[in-house]
Amino acid sequence: MFSIPIDRTLPRMPQLITSLPGPRARALIERDRAVTSPSYTRSYPLVAARGEGCVIEDVDGNVFLDLTAGIAVTATGHAHPLVVEAIQQQAARLLHMSGTDFYYEPMVELAESLAARAPFPQSGEDTRARVFFTNSGAESIEGALKLARYYTGRSRVVSFLGGFHGRTYGAMSLTGSKTVQRQGFGPLLPGITHIPYGTHSSLDDLEEKLFPTVLPPEEVAEIIVEPIQGEGGYIVPEEGFLERIRQICDRHQILMIVDEVQSGMGRTGKLFALAHWGIVPDIITLAKGIASGLPLGAILSRPELMTWPPGSHATTFGGNPVACAAANTTLRLLEAGLMDNARQMGEELQAGLTQLTRRFERVSLPRGKGLMVAIDFLDADGNLDWDLRDRIVDQAFYRGLLLLGCGKAAIRFCPPLVIESDQIQVALKILAELLEKI
Ligand code: PLP
């Protein structure tokens, strides 16, 4: 069902035919440099022209194995033929009508599908989850924050150091990732307390030190948490951490918002990563993989929370019909085998990376779930070594392998969920050869 196009035109493995960057790539990068924002962070000179499954062809005809999925987005692989077909058919029928003011079927269908799969207590028609569609992860976070404040009548928020939630003002204020992301942009949203991620001792401090002194829990609207921290380094929390947040929220009538923008939509082998822990949140935020590359996000909430009246929150483009059509097909493909593939391939990837740690002491053991996996790079004394990480990411490109960093000194592996065993083995081989040279 989810296999790569039958009329495949690109090789499935890296194939470099020019020196890198090639002449067309160099010319495009020159043009780009003159007119685009210097805030972009391109670390190596990939100029993408075409994608298919797990490979990207650049403008000079070089083919790369893509373990980035365009920052964990192209869940069904690049240009999955069924997704492309759904997009083409919908585009020919209706490109836009704004779902906040009008109705159309692809949006209703997607809302029904997401509501049916949301992990909230549901026992009938009127207890089904509610969905608000957005264009991006940051917009989902903004909307979720507004909803939490509106519903609770409270204003404060607890979020986590290392957490990443986006670049708009609310989302940036919740983010606790890197100073460069906030320096010079203040004042940010007030009332946000960042605490360390993933450990019970952090939650001990919240309950025993912060709540009784500077952060009255009855003023806290939400605790927002990534089930596996994404940009922060693909950090899996300690056992019981997420469950305990749920308990703290229950104790103080705080809403638990789970940011599944990166970890959701099947990437970890389950539709929502929080299903690994059986957590029942109040609100879930989605984006990235939901529409296989078209801009779409969603806020899922327990039905009783969406009490905001007509006109209180809306968006022109959110829930665009073409993006919803892509998402409806994406969801079908995820459930027809891609989530299983993510689980299996993730295990193979982690097993291969574990082997690497036996040969090379400069890498840590892998962590993560499904195809959300990372390793840290270490110096000779065992400290995190971001220079080495940056060098490996860079050199991998020149070997035809596309990788992305995250955290302080980690490489994240977040390939399209269609990746196959031989492609994982080739990626591991390239990585081993690069480590060999150090
Ligand atoms: N939340 C998480 C967990 C993310 O990883 C990201 C982006 O990386 C965002 C929110 C923001 O999403 P977007 O870049 O679509 O605004």
Side-chain angles (χ1 to χ4, degrees), residues 132-156:
F132 181 97
F133 288 110
T134 70
N135 299 285
S136 68
E139 196 191 347
S140 296
I141 298 291
E142 294 291 338
L145 175 58
K146 283 175 70 176
L147 180 60
R149 279 183 158 187
Y150 187 86
Y151 176 77
T152 60
R154 304 172 175 186
S155 65
R156 292 175 185 261

PDB file of all heavy atoms in Angstrom, residues 132-156:
ATOM      1  N   PHE A 132      -9.437  22.289  15.678  1.00  0.00           N
ATOM      2  CA  PHE A 132      -9.253  23.599  15.035  1.00  0.00           C
ATOM      3  C   PHE A 132      -8.041  23.473  14.123  1.00  0.00           C
ATOM      4  O   PHE A 132      -6.965  23.068  14.563  1.00  0.00           O
ATOM      5  CB  PHE A 132      -9.007  24.691  16.093  1.00  0.00           C
ATOM      6  CG  PHE A 132      -8.836  26.061  15.492  1.00  0.00           C
ATOM      7  CD1 PHE A 132      -9.898  26.944  15.418  1.00  0.00           C
ATOM      8  CD2 PHE A 132      -7.613  26.456  14.960  1.00  0.00           C
ATOM      9  CE1 PHE A 132      -9.746  28.200  14.832  1.00  0.00           C
ATOM     10  CE2 PHE A 132      -7.455  27.708  14.362  1.00  0.00           C
ATOM     11  CZ  PHE A 132      -8.525  28.578  14.304  1.00  0.00           C
ATOM     12  N   PHE A 133      -8.192  23.836  12.844  1.00  0.00           N
ATOM     13  CA  PHE A 133      -7.081  23.665  11.896  1.00  0.00           C
ATOM     14  C   PHE A 133      -6.259  24.945  11.753  1.00  0.00           C
ATOM     15  O   PHE A 133      -6.810  26.051  11.765  1.00  0.00           O
ATOM     16  CB  PHE A 133      -7.623  23.241  10.529  1.00  0.00           C
ATOM     17  CG  PHE A 133      -8.129  21.833  10.518  1.00  0.00           C
ATOM     18  CD1 PHE A 133      -9.487  21.562  10.412  1.00  0.00           C
ATOM     19  CD2 PHE A 133      -7.251  20.761  10.649  1.00  0.00           C
ATOM     20  CE1 PHE A 133      -9.962  20.267  10.420  1.00  0.00           C
ATOM     21  CE2 PHE A 133      -7.718  19.457  10.663  1.00  0.00           C
ATOM     22  CZ  PHE A 133      -9.074  19.203  10.547  1.00  0.00           C
ATOM     23  N   THR A 134      -4.962  24.752  11.588  1.00  0.00           N
ATOM     24  CA  THR A 134      -4.012  25.862  11.458  1.00  0.00           C
ATOM     25  C   THR A 134      -3.108  25.619  10.241  1.00  0.00           C
ATOM     26  O   THR A 134      -3.300  24.646   9.512  1.00  0.00           O
ATOM     27  CB  THR A 134      -3.121  25.959  12.713  1.00  0.00           C
ATOM     28  OG1 THR A 134      -2.232  24.819  12.733  1.00  0.00           O
ATOM     29  CG2 THR A 134      -3.948  25.955  13.991  1.00  0.00           C
ATOM     30  N   ASN A 135      -2.127  26.498  10.077  1.00  0.00           N
ATOM     31  CA  ASN A 135      -1.179  26.362   8.961  1.00  0.00           C
ATOM     32  C   ASN A 135       0.186  25.855   9.385  1.00  0.00           C
ATOM     33  O   ASN A 135       1.032  25.597   8.543  1.00  0.00           O
ATOM     34  CB  ASN A 135      -0.937  27.725   8.309  1.00  0.00           C
ATOM     35  CG  ASN A 135      -2.201  28.299   7.746  1.00  0.00           C
ATOM     36  OD1 ASN A 135      -2.650  27.849   6.711  1.00  0.00           O
ATOM     37  ND2 ASN A 135      -2.774  29.266   8.430  1.00  0.00           N
ATOM     38  N   SER A 136       0.447  25.804  10.675  1.00  0.00           N
ATOM     39  CA  SER A 136       1.812  25.493  11.115  1.00  0.00           C
ATOM     40  C   SER A 136       1.807  25.063  12.574  1.00  0.00           C
ATOM     41  O   SER A 136       0.801  25.218  13.280  1.00  0.00           O
ATOM     42  CB  SER A 136       2.697  26.736  10.999  1.00  0.00           C
ATOM     43  OG  SER A 136       2.280  27.699  11.956  1.00  0.00           O
ATOM     44  N   GLY A 137       2.953  24.569  12.998  1.00  0.00           N
ATOM     45  CA  GLY A 137       3.110  24.190  14.397  1.00  0.00           C
ATOM     46  C   GLY A 137       2.938  25.387  15.317  1.00  0.00           C
ATOM     47  O   GLY A 137       2.209  25.332  16.310  1.00  0.00           O
ATOM     48  N   ALA A 138       3.610  26.487  14.975  1.00  0.00           N
ATOM     49  CA  ALA A 138       3.540  27.675  15.842  1.00  0.00           C
ATOM     50  C   ALA A 138       2.097  28.151  15.970  1.00  0.00           C
ATOM     51  O   ALA A 138       1.662  28.532  17.064  1.00  0.00           O
ATOM     52  CB  ALA A 138       4.423  28.785  15.275  1.00  0.00           C
ATOM     53  N   GLU A 139       1.348  28.103  14.880  1.00  0.00           N
ATOM     54  CA  GLU A 139      -0.037  28.578  14.951  1.00  0.00           C
ATOM     55  C   GLU A 139      -0.889  27.634  15.812  1.00  0.00           C
ATOM     56  O   GLU A 139      -1.817  28.080  16.501  1.00  0.00           O
ATOM     57  CB  GLU A 139      -0.625  28.714  13.540  1.00  0.00           C
ATOM     58  CG  GLU A 139      -1.888  29.552  13.533  1.00  0.00           C
ATOM     59  CD  GLU A 139      -2.667  29.514  12.224  1.00  0.00           C
ATOM     60  OE1 GLU A 139      -2.140  29.033  11.204  1.00  0.00           O
ATOM     61  OE2 GLU A 139      -3.837  29.938  12.233  1.00  0.00           O
ATOM     62  N   SER A 140      -0.572  26.351  15.768  1.00  0.00           N
ATOM     63  CA  SER A 140      -1.278  25.413  16.653  1.00  0.00           C
ATOM     64  C   SER A 140      -0.996  25.743  18.119  1.00  0.00           C
ATOM     65  O   SER A 140      -1.892  25.715  18.967  1.00  0.00           O
ATOM     66  CB  SER A 140      -0.854  23.958  16.363  1.00  0.00           C
ATOM     67  OG  SER A 140      -1.227  23.581  15.060  1.00  0.00           O
ATOM     68  N   ILE A 141       0.259  26.052  18.401  1.00  0.00           N
ATOM     69  CA  ILE A 141       0.653  26.376  19.782  1.00  0.00           C
ATOM     70  C   ILE A 141      -0.029  27.661  20.251  1.00  0.00           C
ATOM     71  O   ILE A 141      -0.542  27.749  21.376  1.00  0.00           O
ATOM     72  CB  ILE A 141       2.194  26.528  19.875  1.00  0.00           C
ATOM     73  CG1 ILE A 141       2.901  25.204  19.514  1.00  0.00           C
ATOM     74  CG2 ILE A 141       2.621  27.038  21.242  1.00  0.00           C
ATOM     75  CD1 ILE A 141       2.723  24.097  20.491  1.00  0.00           C
ATOM     76  N   GLU A 142      -0.023  28.675  19.369  1.00  0.00           N
ATOM     77  CA  GLU A 142      -0.679  29.945  19.716  1.00  0.00           C
ATOM     78  C   GLU A 142      -2.148  29.705  20.061  1.00  0.00           C
ATOM     79  O   GLU A 142      -2.664  30.218  21.054  1.00  0.00           O
ATOM     80  CB  GLU A 142      -0.623  30.933  18.537  1.00  0.00           C
ATOM     81  CG  GLU A 142       0.747  31.417  18.161  1.00  0.00           C
ATOM     82  CD  GLU A 142       1.378  32.333  19.192  1.00  0.00           C
ATOM     83  OE1 GLU A 142       0.657  32.938  19.995  1.00  0.00           O
ATOM     84  OE2 GLU A 142       2.620  32.425  19.196  1.00  0.00           O
ATOM     85  N   GLY A 143      -2.822  28.951  19.205  1.00  0.00           N
ATOM     86  CA  GLY A 143      -4.249  28.708  19.409  1.00  0.00           C
ATOM     87  C   GLY A 143      -4.500  27.923  20.680  1.00  0.00           C
ATOM     88  O   GLY A 143      -5.451  28.202  21.424  1.00  0.00           O
ATOM     89  N   ALA A 144      -3.637  26.932  20.942  1.00  0.00           N
ATOM     90  CA  ALA A 144      -3.802  26.113  22.144  1.00  0.00           C
ATOM     91  C   ALA A 144      -3.621  26.971  23.399  1.00  0.00           C
ATOM     92  O   ALA A 144      -4.346  26.829  24.390  1.00  0.00           O
ATOM     93  CB  ALA A 144      -2.804  24.957  22.131  1.00  0.00           C
ATOM     94  N   LEU A 145      -2.659  27.883  23.335  1.00  0.00           N
ATOM     95  CA  LEU A 145      -2.409  28.775  24.471  1.00  0.00           C
ATOM     96  C   LEU A 145      -3.621  29.687  24.704  1.00  0.00           C
ATOM     97  O   LEU A 145      -4.075  29.881  25.845  1.00  0.00           O
ATOM     98  CB  LEU A 145      -1.139  29.592  24.195  1.00  0.00           C
ATOM     99  CG  LEU A 145      -0.759  30.681  25.193  1.00  0.00           C
ATOM    100  CD1 LEU A 145      -0.577  30.112  26.583  1.00  0.00           C
ATOM    101  CD2 LEU A 145       0.520  31.387  24.745  1.00  0.00           C
ATOM    102  N   LYS A 146      -4.161  30.243  23.611  1.00  0.00           N
ATOM    103  CA  LYS A 146      -5.348  31.095  23.740  1.00  0.00           C
ATOM    104  C   LYS A 146      -6.514  30.300  24.324  1.00  0.00           C
ATOM    105  O   LYS A 146      -7.237  30.772  25.195  1.00  0.00           O
ATOM    106  CB  LYS A 146      -5.738  31.673  22.367  1.00  0.00           C
ATOM    107  CG  LYS A 146      -4.865  32.833  21.920  1.00  0.00           C
ATOM    108  CD  LYS A 146      -5.214  33.294  20.512  1.00  0.00           C
ATOM    109  CE  LYS A 146      -6.560  34.001  20.410  1.00  0.00           C
ATOM    110  NZ  LYS A 146      -6.805  34.513  19.033  1.00  0.00           N
ATOM    111  N   LEU A 147      -6.680  29.076  23.818  1.00  0.00           N
ATOM    112  CA  LEU A 147      -7.790  28.241  24.286  1.00  0.00           C
ATOM    113  C   LEU A 147      -7.649  27.946  25.779  1.00  0.00           C
ATOM    114  O   LEU A 147      -8.623  28.038  26.546  1.00  0.00           O
ATOM    115  CB  LEU A 147      -7.820  26.929  23.481  1.00  0.00           C
ATOM    116  CG  LEU A 147      -8.923  25.941  23.836  1.00  0.00           C
ATOM    117  CD1 LEU A 147     -10.296  26.557  23.622  1.00  0.00           C
ATOM    118  CD2 LEU A 147      -8.792  24.663  22.993  1.00  0.00           C
ATOM    119  N   ALA A 148      -6.426  27.618  26.201  1.00  0.00           N
ATOM    120  CA  ALA A 148      -6.202  27.287  27.615  1.00  0.00           C
ATOM    121  C   ALA A 148      -6.477  28.496  28.504  1.00  0.00           C
ATOM    122  O   ALA A 148      -7.103  28.382  29.561  1.00  0.00           O
ATOM    123  CB  ALA A 148      -4.774  26.787  27.814  1.00  0.00           C
ATOM    124  N   ARG A 149      -6.032  29.676  28.060  1.00  0.00           N
ATOM    125  CA  ARG A 149      -6.277  30.878  28.856  1.00  0.00           C
ATOM    126  C   ARG A 149      -7.773  31.188  28.888  1.00  0.00           C
ATOM    127  O   ARG A 149      -8.314  31.538  29.932  1.00  0.00           O
ATOM    128  CB  ARG A 149      -5.536  32.065  28.255  1.00  0.00           C
ATOM    129  CG  ARG A 149      -4.075  32.107  28.645  1.00  0.00           C
ATOM    130  CD  ARG A 149      -3.449  33.348  28.056  1.00  0.00           C
ATOM    131  NE  ARG A 149      -2.242  33.734  28.764  1.00  0.00           N
ATOM    132  CZ  ARG A 149      -1.578  34.860  28.523  1.00  0.00           C
ATOM    133  NH1 ARG A 149      -2.001  35.693  27.598  1.00  0.00           N
ATOM    134  NH2 ARG A 149      -0.486  35.145  29.195  1.00  0.00           N
ATOM    135  N   TYR A 150      -8.414  31.056  27.746  1.00  0.00           N
ATOM    136  CA  TYR A 150      -9.836  31.394  27.655  1.00  0.00           C
ATOM    137  C   TYR A 150     -10.656  30.474  28.556  1.00  0.00           C
ATOM    138  O   TYR A 150     -11.514  30.920  29.312  1.00  0.00           O
ATOM    139  CB  TYR A 150     -10.308  31.282  26.201  1.00  0.00           C
ATOM    140  CG  TYR A 150     -11.718  31.772  26.019  1.00  0.00           C
ATOM    141  CD1 TYR A 150     -11.981  33.125  25.800  1.00  0.00           C
ATOM    142  CD2 TYR A 150     -12.802  30.900  26.115  1.00  0.00           C
ATOM    143  CE1 TYR A 150     -13.272  33.596  25.677  1.00  0.00           C
ATOM    144  CE2 TYR A 150     -14.098  31.362  25.990  1.00  0.00           C
ATOM    145  CZ  TYR A 150     -14.335  32.703  25.773  1.00  0.00           C
ATOM    146  OH  TYR A 150     -15.606  33.164  25.650  1.00  0.00           O
ATOM    147  N   TYR A 151     -10.371  29.181  28.450  1.00  0.00           N
ATOM    148  CA  TYR A 151     -11.180  28.199  29.188  1.00  0.00           C
ATOM    149  C   TYR A 151     -10.954  28.311  30.701  1.00  0.00           C
ATOM    150  O   TYR A 151     -11.898  28.251  31.483  1.00  0.00           O
ATOM    151  CB  TYR A 151     -10.863  26.782  28.706  1.00  0.00           C
ATOM    152  CG  TYR A 151     -11.578  25.719  29.490  1.00  0.00           C
ATOM    153  CD1 TYR A 151     -12.937  25.459  29.254  1.00  0.00           C
ATOM    154  CD2 TYR A 151     -10.935  24.994  30.484  1.00  0.00           C
ATOM    155  CE1 TYR A 151     -13.616  24.500  29.997  1.00  0.00           C
ATOM    156  CE2 TYR A 151     -11.610  24.037  31.225  1.00  0.00           C
ATOM    157  CZ  TYR A 151     -12.948  23.785  30.978  1.00  0.00           C
ATOM    158  OH  TYR A 151     -13.615  22.844  31.700  1.00  0.00           O
ATOM    159  N   THR A 152      -9.695  28.459  31.087  1.00  0.00           N
ATOM    160  CA  THR A 152      -9.397  28.435  32.526  1.00  0.00           C
ATOM    161  C   THR A 152      -9.568  29.805  33.178  1.00  0.00           C
ATOM    162  O   THR A 152      -9.693  29.898  34.404  1.00  0.00           O
ATOM    163  CB  THR A 152      -7.946  27.972  32.790  1.00  0.00           C
ATOM    164  OG1 THR A 152      -7.060  28.902  32.140  1.00  0.00           O
ATOM    165  CG2 THR A 152      -7.686  26.573  32.273  1.00  0.00           C
ATOM    166  N   GLY A 153      -9.483  30.872  32.371  1.00  0.00           N
ATOM    167  CA  GLY A 153      -9.473  32.204  32.957  1.00  0.00           C
ATOM    168  C   GLY A 153      -8.179  32.487  33.698  1.00  0.00           C
ATOM    169  O   GLY A 153      -8.088  33.442  34.471  1.00  0.00           O
ATOM    170  N   ARG A 154      -7.170  31.672  33.458  1.00  0.00           N
ATOM    171  CA  ARG A 154      -5.871  31.861  34.113  1.00  0.00           C
ATOM    172  C   ARG A 154      -4.851  32.275  33.049  1.00  0.00           C
ATOM    173  O   ARG A 154      -5.081  32.042  31.861  1.00  0.00           O
ATOM    174  CB  ARG A 154      -5.404  30.545  34.750  1.00  0.00           C
ATOM    175  CG  ARG A 154      -6.394  29.949  35.742  1.00  0.00           C
ATOM    176  CD  ARG A 154      -5.914  28.576  36.152  1.00  0.00           C
ATOM    177  NE  ARG A 154      -6.742  27.963  37.182  1.00  0.00           N
ATOM    178  CZ  ARG A 154      -6.436  26.802  37.764  1.00  0.00           C
ATOM    179  NH1 ARG A 154      -5.329  26.153  37.439  1.00  0.00           N
ATOM    180  NH2 ARG A 154      -7.230  26.296  38.692  1.00  0.00           N
ATOM    181  N   SER A 155      -3.702  32.803  33.497  1.00  0.00           N
ATOM    182  CA  SER A 155      -2.779  33.316  32.483  1.00  0.00           C
ATOM    183  C   SER A 155      -1.401  32.661  32.488  1.00  0.00           C
ATOM    184  O   SER A 155      -0.688  32.714  31.502  1.00  0.00           O
ATOM    185  CB  SER A 155      -2.604  34.819  32.669  1.00  0.00           C
ATOM    186  OG  SER A 155      -1.983  35.056  33.910  1.00  0.00           O
ATOM    187  N   ARG A 156      -1.013  32.070  33.600  1.00  0.00           N
ATOM    188  CA  ARG A 156       0.370  31.575  33.663  1.00  0.00           C
ATOM    189  C   ARG A 156       0.535  30.230  32.971  1.00  0.00           C
ATOM    190  O   ARG A 156      -0.425  29.473  32.838  1.00  0.00           O
ATOM    191  CB  ARG A 156       0.822  31.422  35.114  1.00  0.00           C
ATOM    192  CG  ARG A 156       0.970  32.732  35.845  1.00  0.00           C
ATOM    193  CD  ARG A 156       1.302  32.424  37.293  1.00  0.00           C
ATOM    194  NE  ARG A 156       1.352  33.596  38.117  1.00  0.00           N
ATOM    195  CZ  ARG A 156       2.482  34.219  38.456  1.00  0.00           C
ATOM    196  NH1 ARG A 156       3.652  33.760  38.043  1.00  0.00           N
ATOM    197  NH2 ARG A 156       2.443  35.272  39.224  1.00  0.00           N
TER     198      ARG A 156
END
